[in-house]
Amino acid sequence: MTGALDVVEARPEHAEAMADVIRRSFGARPVLDPPSSATDETAESVRASIETSGGLLALRRGRPVGALLYDETRPGLLGLRRVSVDPDVQARGIASALVGVAEDTAEERGKDGVWIHVREELPATVRFWRQRRYETVGQEGPLLVLGKTLWLSRELPDAESTQRFAGTLAGLLQAGDVLVMTGGLGAGKTTFTQGLGEALGVRGPITSPTFVIARHHPSLVGGPALVHVDAYRLEGALELDDLDLDTSVEEAVTVVEWGEGMAEHLADSWLEVRLERRLPREDDPLGTAVEHDGGDDTRVVTVRPHGPRWVGVPLRSTLLA
């Protein structure tokens, strides 16, 4: 039985219905100068796009109500074209459902991120994408180019693999980058930071800064310094501000352990790095359960990019290689 809303992979036989949804959706928008070419889509043009890159069709109780076409012309990225919802069923989460499935598709295709063209004269449309963490990366005539780098998660079986992963991430870092690290006691945050420091070529040793709050590790190779902060004993962002980290953020790579909810304001872009202990369980055959006690060294690291700095950076292809 068909559900209330289904999002399915577009097939050539869907082309006529999708073209109709696209024309109806874009035709209901305010008149723009120059006008959108979306209203010129035909079953033939949509079919050609589906056969080249694919797309999605949204069905509400079996009726076509949403459409989206893919664009693979930009290396490492999946473009979203003609994101459309039938005007009769607006504000029912159809566009969000299409975008969510499209981002999953980008992951499955091994892409680092997604991008879309948006008319800047349509503030509600721009707001829709901003709420989904799409950032402006350029402009082509009246079109804003918005992009989003996808998050990733990877299992790390031991301390050595944790440090290697951090070392690989270090190759993508530059002065001004902020890493906000979370994870329980013993999750491997300091081990991770040691891998960063070694790859960045900074003066060691790197140990937990719990009792001194912050340590500054200058570069030995002419690169950025590493500022290592432990916010465990801080009461909040105001106490973090008292450390005057803003004086060094632009010149260093800053790592803030226990920084969630406190350190995100240090820069307009940051990486959220979460480390969790994963233990195998008999009632969890897929290995997706995350627990925080026990003696197993296996960790799961999750990296989520925030802000314009990370749009277009090949996080997934680099860190999951």
Side-chain angles (χ1 to χ4, degrees):
M1 179 177 179
T2 302
L5 181 65
D6 297 300
V7 178
V8 301
E9 184 176 343
R11 299 192 300 271
E13 56 264 36
H14 296 145
E16 186 171 351
M18 291 175 65
D20 182 61
V21 171
I22 291 170
R23 291 192 299 264
R24 283 169 52 79
S25 175
F26 281 82
R29 295 182 178 185
V31 177
L32 301 174
D33 184 23
S36 171
S37 61
T39 54
D40 298 328
E41 291 282 9
T42 64
E44 290 72 23
S45 65
V46 171
R47 184 178 298 109
S49 184
I50 292 171
E51 292 173 344
T52 299
S53 300
L56 297 172
L57 171 66
L59 301 162
R60 186 170 184 263
R61 298 188 176 93
R63 174 191 163 208
V65 293
L68 179 154
L69 297 173
Y70 294 134
D71 182 330
E72 294 196 278
T73 58
R74 302 190 182 199
L77 301 173
L78 185 64
L80 312 182
R81 300 178 54 246
R82 308 308 197 209
V83 182
S84 309
V85 176
D86 187 317
D88 293 339
V89 288
Q90 293 279 354
R92 296 177 184 266
I94 297 170
S96 294
L98 286 166
V99 174
V101 175
E103 291 180 0
D104 288 344
T105 300
E107 292 182 12
E108 292 168 1
R109 295 189 183 186
K111 306 296 186 181
D112 283 301
V114 286
W115 66 274
I116 186 169
H117 281 137
V118 177
R119 292 292 288 260
E120 62 178 335
E121 307 100 311
L122 301 174
T125 303
V126 174
R127 185 165 57 251
F128 170 87
W129 293 102
R130 296 235 187 275
Q131 289 172 343
R132 284 150 186 81
R133 297 181 178 176
Y134 283 70
E135 302 282 350
T136 301
V137 295
Q139 186 159 0
E140 299 172 4
L143 299 172
L144 295 176
V145 183
L146 305 184
K148 178 180 182 179
T149 295
L150 300 172
W151 67 279
L152 63 101
S153 187
R154 179 171 179 173
E155 188 172 276
L156 304 172
D158 50 38
E160 290 74 19
S161 62
T162 299
Q163 292 188 343
R164 285 196 301 272
F165 181 91
T168 303
L169 174 59
L172 299 174
L173 299 179
Q174 61 188 32
D177 287 340
V178 173
L179 282 67
V180 179
M181 298 192 66
T182 58
L185 291 169
K189 297 184 294 298
T190 299
T191 299
F192 188 97
T193 308
Q194 289 169 344
L196 279 179
E198 181 176 356
L200 290 172
V202 301
R203 182 188 301 162
I206 293 176
T207 59
S208 174
T210 298
F211 297 104
V212 296
I213 308 300
R215 294 183 187 274
H216 183 276
H217 300 272
S219 175
L220 301 175
V221 294
L226 174 67
V227 175
H228 185 198
V229 182
D230 191 323
Y232 183 71
R233 286 178 167 75
L234 300 182
E235 295 295 330
L238 290 178
E239 287 195 12
L240 186 66
D241 288 342
D242 288 342
L243 300 177
D244 292 328
L245 295 177
D246 55 342
T247 62
S248 61
V249 162
E250 293 184 1
E251 302 172 355
V253 171
T254 303
V255 176
V256 185
E257 296 186 21
W258 303 96
E260 186 176 25
M262 287 190 282
E264 292 87 352
H265 71 286
L266 291 174
D268 65 350
S269 300
W270 70 94
L271 284 182
E272 174 189 344
V273 180
R274 184 177 298 273
L275 284 159
E276 298 171 285
R277 183 171 294 171
R278 176 165 293 171
L279 302 177
R281 291 192 338 210
E282 292 182 1
D283 61 344
D284 179 44
L286 296 181
T288 57
V290 175
E291 300 181 0
H292 297 282
D293 53 12
D296 196 296
D297 281 337
T298 300
R299 302 292 186 270
V300 174
V301 61
T302 300
V303 180
R304 294 181 183 273
H306 299 265
R309 153 76 173 100
W310 296 104
V311 177
V313 176
L315 279 176
R316 291 181 59 84
S317 59
T318 300
L319 297 176
L320 297 179

mmCIF file of all heavy atoms in Angstrom, residues 258-298:
data_model
loop_
_atom_site.group_PDB
_atom_site.id
_atom_site.type_symbol
_atom_site.label_atom_id
_atom_site.label_comp_id
_atom_site.label_asym_id
_atom_site.label_seq_id
_atom_site.Cartn_x
_atom_site.Cartn_y
_atom_site.Cartn_z
ATOM 1 N N TRP A 258 35.423 19.140 25.051
ATOM 2 C CA TRP A 258 34.233 19.468 25.831
ATOM 3 C C TRP A 258 33.688 20.851 25.437
ATOM 4 O O TRP A 258 33.150 21.578 26.259
ATOM 5 C CB TRP A 258 34.511 19.454 27.331
ATOM 6 C CG TRP A 258 35.050 18.168 27.861
ATOM 7 C CD1 TRP A 258 36.352 17.848 28.068
ATOM 8 C CD2 TRP A 258 34.294 17.018 28.254
ATOM 9 N NE1 TRP A 258 36.471 16.567 28.566
ATOM 10 C CE2 TRP A 258 35.214 16.033 28.694
ATOM 11 C CE3 TRP A 258 32.930 16.721 28.299
ATOM 12 C CZ2 TRP A 258 34.815 14.787 29.157
ATOM 13 C CZ3 TRP A 258 32.526 15.483 28.759
ATOM 14 C CH2 TRP A 258 33.464 14.533 29.178
ATOM 15 N N GLY A 259 33.847 21.203 24.159
ATOM 16 C CA GLY A 259 33.511 22.563 23.748
ATOM 17 C C GLY A 259 32.111 22.756 23.219
ATOM 18 O O GLY A 259 31.729 23.887 22.889
ATOM 19 N N GLU A 260 31.323 21.696 23.129
ATOM 20 C CA GLU A 260 29.981 21.821 22.571
ATOM 21 C C GLU A 260 29.144 22.820 23.376
ATOM 22 O O GLU A 260 29.068 22.756 24.593
ATOM 23 C CB GLU A 260 29.284 20.460 22.557
ATOM 24 C CG GLU A 260 27.933 20.468 21.860
ATOM 25 C CD GLU A 260 27.321 19.082 21.787
ATOM 26 O OE1 GLU A 260 27.663 18.229 22.636
ATOM 27 O OE2 GLU A 260 26.510 18.847 20.874
ATOM 28 N N GLY A 261 28.523 23.753 22.658
ATOM 29 C CA GLY A 261 27.703 24.759 23.302
ATOM 30 C C GLY A 261 28.480 25.932 23.854
ATOM 31 O O GLY A 261 27.882 26.886 24.375
ATOM 32 N N MET A 262 29.804 25.907 23.733
ATOM 33 C CA MET A 262 30.621 26.998 24.262
ATOM 34 C C MET A 262 31.559 27.601 23.227
ATOM 35 O O MET A 262 31.792 28.806 23.229
ATOM 36 C CB MET A 262 31.456 26.500 25.452
ATOM 37 C CG MET A 262 30.667 26.252 26.714
ATOM 38 S SD MET A 262 31.771 25.949 28.140
ATOM 39 C CE MET A 262 32.236 24.249 27.825
ATOM 40 N N ALA A 263 32.132 26.755 22.357
ATOM 41 C CA ALA A 263 33.225 27.207 21.502
ATOM 42 C C ALA A 263 32.820 27.532 20.072
ATOM 43 O O ALA A 263 33.647 28.007 19.297
ATOM 44 C CB ALA A 263 34.331 26.147 21.491
ATOM 45 N N GLU A 264 31.559 27.297 19.725
ATOM 46 C CA GLU A 264 31.156 27.484 18.333
ATOM 47 C C GLU A 264 31.267 28.934 17.877
ATOM 48 O O GLU A 264 31.391 29.202 16.684
ATOM 49 C CB GLU A 264 29.720 26.986 18.139
ATOM 50 C CG GLU A 264 29.538 25.486 18.282
ATOM 51 C CD GLU A 264 29.309 25.031 19.715
ATOM 52 O OE1 GLU A 264 29.446 25.881 20.640
ATOM 53 O OE2 GLU A 264 28.996 23.849 19.932
ATOM 54 N N HIS A 265 31.245 29.866 18.815
ATOM 55 C CA HIS A 265 31.281 31.283 18.439
ATOM 56 C C HIS A 265 32.691 31.775 18.157
ATOM 57 O O HIS A 265 32.869 32.935 17.755
ATOM 58 C CB HIS A 265 30.681 32.129 19.565
ATOM 59 C CG HIS A 265 31.550 32.194 20.788
ATOM 60 N ND1 HIS A 265 31.683 31.128 21.651
ATOM 61 C CD2 HIS A 265 32.346 33.180 21.276
ATOM 62 C CE1 HIS A 265 32.508 31.460 22.621
ATOM 63 N NE2 HIS A 265 32.924 32.702 22.427
ATOM 64 N N LEU A 266 33.700 30.942 18.343
ATOM 65 C CA LEU A 266 35.076 31.391 18.142
ATOM 66 C C LEU A 266 35.368 31.735 16.685
ATOM 67 O O LEU A 266 36.285 32.503 16.398
ATOM 68 C CB LEU A 266 36.053 30.313 18.625
ATOM 69 C CG LEU A 266 36.102 30.073 20.140
ATOM 70 C CD1 LEU A 266 37.001 28.896 20.459
ATOM 71 C CD2 LEU A 266 36.576 31.330 20.874
ATOM 72 N N ALA A 267 34.620 31.149 15.759
ATOM 73 C CA ALA A 267 34.816 31.420 14.335
ATOM 74 C C ALA A 267 33.483 31.228 13.621
ATOM 75 O O ALA A 267 32.574 30.589 14.151
ATOM 76 C CB ALA A 267 35.884 30.491 13.748
ATOM 77 N N ASP A 268 33.366 31.773 12.412
ATOM 78 C CA ASP A 268 32.105 31.612 11.686
ATOM 79 C C ASP A 268 31.983 30.227 11.072
ATOM 80 O O ASP A 268 30.918 29.849 10.577
ATOM 81 C CB ASP A 268 31.947 32.701 10.617
ATOM 82 C CG ASP A 268 32.986 32.603 9.510
ATOM 83 O OD1 ASP A 268 33.944 31.816 9.646
ATOM 84 O OD2 ASP A 268 32.847 33.331 8.509
ATOM 85 N N SER A 269 33.072 29.469 11.091
ATOM 86 C CA SER A 269 33.062 28.090 10.608
ATOM 87 C C SER A 269 33.817 27.223 11.594
ATOM 88 O O SER A 269 34.800 27.675 12.202
ATOM 89 C CB SER A 269 33.728 27.984 9.230
ATOM 90 O OG SER A 269 33.061 28.784 8.266
ATOM 91 N N TRP A 270 33.370 25.985 11.751
ATOM 92 C CA TRP A 270 34.074 25.075 12.649
ATOM 93 C C TRP A 270 33.746 23.637 12.269
ATOM 94 O O TRP A 270 32.796 23.367 11.527
ATOM 95 C CB TRP A 270 33.710 25.342 14.110
ATOM 96 C CG TRP A 270 32.307 24.962 14.497
ATOM 97 C CD1 TRP A 270 31.874 23.790 15.053
ATOM 98 C CD2 TRP A 270 31.132 25.773 14.334
ATOM 99 N NE1 TRP A 270 30.521 23.819 15.257
ATOM 100 C CE2 TRP A 270 30.039 25.016 14.823
ATOM 101 C CE3 TRP A 270 30.907 27.050 13.842
ATOM 102 C CZ2 TRP A 270 28.739 25.506 14.814
ATOM 103 C CZ3 TRP A 270 29.613 27.540 13.825
ATOM 104 C CH2 TRP A 270 28.552 26.784 14.320
ATOM 105 N N LEU A 271 34.557 22.718 12.788
ATOM 106 C CA LEU A 271 34.288 21.299 12.641
ATOM 107 C C LEU A 271 33.818 20.750 13.983
ATOM 108 O O LEU A 271 34.483 20.953 15.005
ATOM 109 C CB LEU A 271 35.541 20.529 12.205
ATOM 110 C CG LEU A 271 35.981 20.645 10.756
ATOM 111 C CD1 LEU A 271 37.220 19.774 10.527
ATOM 112 C CD2 LEU A 271 34.869 20.257 9.800
ATOM 113 N N GLU A 272 32.700 20.083 13.974
ATOM 114 C CA GLU A 272 32.227 19.364 15.154
ATOM 115 C C GLU A 272 32.773 17.940 15.061
ATOM 116 O O GLU A 272 32.487 17.224 14.103
ATOM 117 C CB GLU A 272 30.698 19.355 15.161
ATOM 118 C CG GLU A 272 30.082 18.525 16.255
ATOM 119 C CD GLU A 272 28.582 18.380 16.069
ATOM 120 O OE1 GLU A 272 27.996 19.166 15.284
ATOM 121 O OE2 GLU A 272 27.996 17.463 16.684
ATOM 122 N N VAL A 273 33.578 17.555 16.030
ATOM 123 C CA VAL A 273 34.189 16.222 16.042
ATOM 124 C C VAL A 273 33.697 15.486 17.279
ATOM 125 O O VAL A 273 33.972 15.901 18.410
ATOM 126 C CB VAL A 273 35.731 16.308 16.048
ATOM 127 C CG1 VAL A 273 36.344 14.905 16.051
ATOM 128 C CG2 VAL A 273 36.227 17.105 14.834
ATOM 129 N N ARG A 274 32.967 14.416 17.062
ATOM 130 C CA ARG A 274 32.399 13.638 18.174
ATOM 131 C C ARG A 274 33.033 12.253 18.199
ATOM 132 O O ARG A 274 33.057 11.548 17.186
ATOM 133 C CB ARG A 274 30.886 13.528 18.021
ATOM 134 C CG ARG A 274 30.193 12.807 19.179
ATOM 135 C CD ARG A 274 28.683 12.816 18.987
ATOM 136 N NE ARG A 274 28.158 14.169 18.978
ATOM 137 C CZ ARG A 274 27.808 14.833 20.080
ATOM 138 N NH1 ARG A 274 27.927 14.265 21.273
ATOM 139 N NH2 ARG A 274 27.353 16.066 19.996
ATOM 140 N N LEU A 275 33.545 11.878 19.356
ATOM 141 C CA LEU A 275 34.134 10.556 19.548
ATOM 142 C C LEU A 275 33.298 9.779 20.555
ATOM 143 O O LEU A 275 33.011 10.275 21.646
ATOM 144 C CB LEU A 275 35.582 10.669 20.054
ATOM 145 C CG LEU A 275 36.624 11.061 19.003
ATOM 146 C CD1 LEU A 275 37.859 11.633 19.674
ATOM 147 C CD2 LEU A 275 36.993 9.872 18.141
ATOM 148 N N GLU A 276 32.903 8.571 20.163
ATOM 149 C CA GLU A 276 32.083 7.740 21.038
ATOM 150 C C GLU A 276 32.639 6.315 21.045
ATOM 151 O O GLU A 276 33.158 5.841 20.030
ATOM 152 C CB GLU A 276 30.635 7.728 20.552
ATOM 153 C CG GLU A 276 29.975 9.106 20.567
ATOM 154 C CD GLU A 276 28.636 9.097 19.873
ATOM 155 O OE1 GLU A 276 28.619 9.056 18.630
ATOM 156 O OE2 GLU A 276 27.616 9.108 20.573
ATOM 157 N N ARG A 277 32.501 5.687 22.160
ATOM 158 C CA ARG A 277 32.937 4.303 22.284
ATOM 159 C C ARG A 277 31.840 3.385 21.770
ATOM 160 O O ARG A 277 30.688 3.507 22.151
ATOM 161 C CB ARG A 277 33.245 3.987 23.748
ATOM 162 C CG ARG A 277 33.773 2.591 23.986
ATOM 163 C CD ARG A 277 34.240 2.449 25.413
ATOM 164 N NE ARG A 277 35.396 3.292 25.659
ATOM 165 C CZ ARG A 277 35.897 3.501 26.870
ATOM 166 N NH1 ARG A 277 35.330 2.953 27.920
ATOM 167 N NH2 ARG A 277 36.949 4.268 27.021
ATOM 168 N N ARG A 278 32.200 2.475 20.878
ATOM 169 C CA ARG A 278 31.229 1.533 20.331
ATOM 170 C C ARG A 278 31.617 0.133 20.741
ATOM 171 O O ARG A 278 32.735 -0.323 20.507
ATOM 172 C CB ARG A 278 31.156 1.641 18.809
ATOM 173 C CG ARG A 278 30.236 0.605 18.166
ATOM 174 C CD ARG A 278 29.915 0.967 16.750
ATOM 175 N NE ARG A 278 29.113 2.173 16.689
ATOM 176 C CZ ARG A 278 28.832 2.827 15.567
ATOM 177 N NH1 ARG A 278 29.298 2.380 14.437
ATOM 178 N NH2 ARG A 278 28.099 3.914 15.592
ATOM 179 N N LEU A 279 30.681 -0.561 21.346
ATOM 180 C CA LEU A 279 30.914 -1.921 21.801
ATOM 181 C C LEU A 279 29.960 -2.873 21.091
ATOM 182 O O LEU A 279 28.779 -2.584 20.942
ATOM 183 C CB LEU A 279 30.686 -2.018 23.317
ATOM 184 C CG LEU A 279 31.544 -1.105 24.182
ATOM 185 C CD1 LEU A 279 31.165 -1.265 25.637
ATOM 186 C CD2 LEU A 279 33.016 -1.415 23.989
ATOM 187 N N PRO A 280 30.466 -4.024 20.635
ATOM 188 C CA PRO A 280 29.578 -4.987 19.995
ATOM 189 C C PRO A 280 28.608 -5.585 21.001
ATOM 190 O O PRO A 280 28.953 -5.842 22.143
ATOM 191 C CB PRO A 280 30.558 -6.049 19.462
ATOM 192 C CG PRO A 280 31.751 -5.941 20.338
ATOM 193 C CD PRO A 280 31.860 -4.488 20.722
ATOM 194 N N ARG A 281 27.346 -5.789 20.566
ATOM 195 C CA ARG A 281 26.340 -6.388 21.427
ATOM 196 C C ARG A 281 25.591 -7.461 20.656
ATOM 197 O O ARG A 281 25.362 -7.335 19.453
ATOM 198 C CB ARG A 281 25.329 -5.321 21.899
ATOM 199 C CG ARG A 281 25.903 -4.319 22.854
ATOM 200 C CD ARG A 281 24.838 -3.462 23.538
ATOM 201 N NE ARG A 281 23.565 -3.374 22.855
ATOM 202 C CZ ARG A 281 22.772 -2.300 22.932
ATOM 203 N NH1 ARG A 281 23.150 -1.242 23.618
ATOM 204 N NH2 ARG A 281 21.603 -2.273 22.308
ATOM 205 N N GLU A 282 25.207 -8.521 21.361
ATOM 206 C CA GLU A 282 24.492 -9.603 20.703
ATOM 207 C C GLU A 282 23.157 -9.140 20.136
ATOM 208 O O GLU A 282 22.684 -9.659 19.128
ATOM 209 C CB GLU A 282 24.264 -10.753 21.692
ATOM 210 C CG GLU A 282 25.557 -11.462 22.104
ATOM 211 C CD GLU A 282 25.291 -12.629 23.035
ATOM 212 O OE1 GLU A 282 24.094 -12.869 23.326
ATOM 213 O OE2 GLU A 282 26.250 -13.288 23.451
ATOM 214 N N ASP A 283 22.529 -8.151 20.778
ATOM 215 C CA ASP A 283 21.236 -7.673 20.303
ATOM 216 C C ASP A 283 21.378 -6.523 19.314
ATOM 217 O O ASP A 283 20.421 -5.835 18.999
ATOM 218 C CB ASP A 283 20.362 -7.227 21.477
ATOM 219 C CG ASP A 283 20.998 -6.071 22.260
ATOM 220 O OD1 ASP A 283 22.212 -5.841 22.072
ATOM 221 O OD2 ASP A 283 20.283 -5.429 23.047
ATOM 222 N N ASP A 284 22.602 -6.312 18.804
ATOM 223 C CA ASP A 284 22.871 -5.227 17.866
ATOM 224 C C ASP A 284 23.696 -5.778 16.706
ATOM 225 O O ASP A 284 24.871 -5.461 16.559
ATOM 226 C CB ASP A 284 23.616 -4.085 18.575
ATOM 227 C CG ASP A 284 23.953 -2.935 17.622
ATOM 228 O OD1 ASP A 284 23.066 -2.559 16.839
ATOM 229 O OD2 ASP A 284 25.088 -2.459 17.674
ATOM 230 N N PRO A 285 23.108 -6.617 15.855
ATOM 231 C CA PRO A 285 23.878 -7.276 14.800
ATOM 232 C C PRO A 285 24.485 -6.332 13.791
ATOM 233 O O PRO A 285 25.470 -6.667 13.132
ATOM 234 C CB PRO A 285 22.841 -8.195 14.139
ATOM 235 C CG PRO A 285 21.511 -7.578 14.468
ATOM 236 C CD PRO A 285 21.689 -6.988 15.842
ATOM 237 N N LEU A 286 23.926 -5.139 13.664
ATOM 238 C CA LEU A 286 24.473 -4.187 12.700
ATOM 239 C C LEU A 286 25.628 -3.381 13.274
ATOM 240 O O LEU A 286 26.280 -2.618 12.564
ATOM 241 C CB LEU A 286 23.369 -3.235 12.221
ATOM 242 C CG LEU A 286 22.218 -3.896 11.453
ATOM 243 C CD1 LEU A 286 21.205 -2.837 11.029
ATOM 244 C CD2 LEU A 286 22.734 -4.644 10.232
ATOM 245 N N GLY A 287 25.879 -3.492 14.576
ATOM 246 C CA GLY A 287 26.984 -2.764 15.187
ATOM 247 C C GLY A 287 26.784 -1.280 15.271
ATOM 248 O O GLY A 287 27.737 -0.508 15.214
ATOM 249 N N THR A 288 25.535 -0.854 15.424
ATOM 250 C CA THR A 288 25.265 0.582 15.454
ATOM 251 C C THR A 288 25.082 1.132 16.860
ATOM 252 O O THR A 288 24.932 2.342 17.032
ATOM 253 C CB THR A 288 24.001 0.899 14.631
ATOM 254 O OG1 THR A 288 22.910 0.130 15.152
ATOM 255 C CG2 THR A 288 24.195 0.542 13.169
ATOM 256 N N ALA A 289 25.067 0.268 17.859
ATOM 257 C CA ALA A 289 24.882 0.747 19.229
ATOM 258 C C ALA A 289 26.139 1.440 19.718
ATOM 259 O O ALA A 289 27.254 0.997 19.470
ATOM 260 C CB ALA A 289 24.536 -0.419 20.161
ATOM 261 N N VAL A 290 25.959 2.529 20.434
ATOM 262 C CA VAL A 290 27.078 3.265 21.002
ATOM 263 C C VAL A 290 26.939 3.266 22.510
ATOM 264 O O VAL A 290 25.900 3.647 23.045
ATOM 265 C CB VAL A 290 27.130 4.715 20.468
ATOM 266 C CG1 VAL A 290 28.225 5.497 21.168
ATOM 267 C CG2 VAL A 290 27.354 4.702 18.965
ATOM 268 N N GLU A 291 27.973 2.812 23.199
ATOM 269 C CA GLU A 291 27.973 2.803 24.649
ATOM 270 C C GLU A 291 29.223 3.508 25.134
ATOM 271 O O GLU A 291 30.160 3.739 24.382
ATOM 272 C CB GLU A 291 27.904 1.367 25.176
ATOM 273 C CG GLU A 291 26.641 0.628 24.725
ATOM 274 C CD GLU A 291 26.568 -0.786 25.268
ATOM 275 O OE1 GLU A 291 27.503 -1.185 25.987
ATOM 276 O OE2 GLU A 291 25.578 -1.470 24.978
ATOM 277 N N HIS A 292 29.258 3.809 26.420
ATOM 278 C CA HIS A 292 30.348 4.650 26.936
ATOM 279 C C HIS A 292 31.135 3.987 28.067
ATOM 280 O O HIS A 292 31.847 4.659 28.789
ATOM 281 C CB HIS A 292 29.782 5.986 27.420
ATOM 282 C CG HIS A 292 29.165 6.783 26.311
ATOM 283 N ND1 HIS A 292 29.893 7.496 25.400
ATOM 284 C CD2 HIS A 292 27.869 6.946 25.956
ATOM 285 C CE1 HIS A 292 29.088 8.085 24.543
ATOM 286 N NE2 HIS A 292 27.856 7.767 24.855
ATOM 287 N N ASP A 293 31.004 2.691 28.227
ATOM 288 C CA ASP A 293 31.813 2.044 29.240
ATOM 289 C C ASP A 293 32.304 0.713 28.710
ATOM 290 O O ASP A 293 31.877 0.230 27.678
ATOM 291 C CB ASP A 293 31.017 1.851 30.550
ATOM 292 C CG ASP A 293 29.695 1.153 30.310
ATOM 293 O OD1 ASP A 293 29.501 0.613 29.191
ATOM 294 O OD2 ASP A 293 28.858 1.153 31.209
ATOM 295 N N GLY A 294 33.238 0.125 29.423
ATOM 296 C CA GLY A 294 33.835 -1.108 28.955
ATOM 297 C C GLY A 294 35.272 -0.898 28.551
ATOM 298 O O GLY A 294 35.781 0.208 28.510
ATOM 299 N N GLY A 295 35.949 -1.967 28.189
ATOM 300 C CA GLY A 295 37.373 -1.864 27.915
ATOM 301 C C GLY A 295 37.749 -1.895 26.457
ATOM 302 O O GLY A 295 38.927 -1.847 26.118
ATOM 303 N N ASP A 296 36.770 -2.013 25.563
ATOM 304 C CA ASP A 296 37.058 -2.072 24.142
ATOM 305 C C ASP A 296 37.604 -0.729 23.669
ATOM 306 O O ASP A 296 37.101 0.325 24.045
ATOM 307 C CB ASP A 296 35.787 -2.424 23.375
ATOM 308 C CG ASP A 296 36.079 -2.870 21.961
ATOM 309 O OD1 ASP A 296 36.588 -2.042 21.195
ATOM 310 O OD2 ASP A 296 35.790 -4.036 21.627
ATOM 311 N N ASP A 297 38.628 -0.741 22.796
ATOM 312 C CA ASP A 297 39.237 0.493 22.308
ATOM 313 C C ASP A 297 38.552 1.051 21.065
ATOM 314 O O ASP A 297 38.936 2.103 20.573
ATOM 315 C CB ASP A 297 40.716 0.258 21.995
ATOM 316 C CG ASP A 297 41.575 0.251 23.248
ATOM 317 O OD1 ASP A 297 41.142 0.834 24.254
ATOM 318 O OD2 ASP A 297 42.666 -0.343 23.213
ATOM 319 N N THR A 298 37.566 0.333 20.523
ATOM 320 C CA THR A 298 36.913 0.794 19.305
ATOM 321 C C THR A 298 36.159 2.095 19.558
ATOM 322 O O THR A 298 35.418 2.226 20.517
ATOM 323 C CB THR A 298 35.939 -0.266 18.774
ATOM 324 O OG1 THR A 298 36.661 -1.464 18.496
ATOM 325 C CG2 THR A 298 35.261 0.218 17.494
#
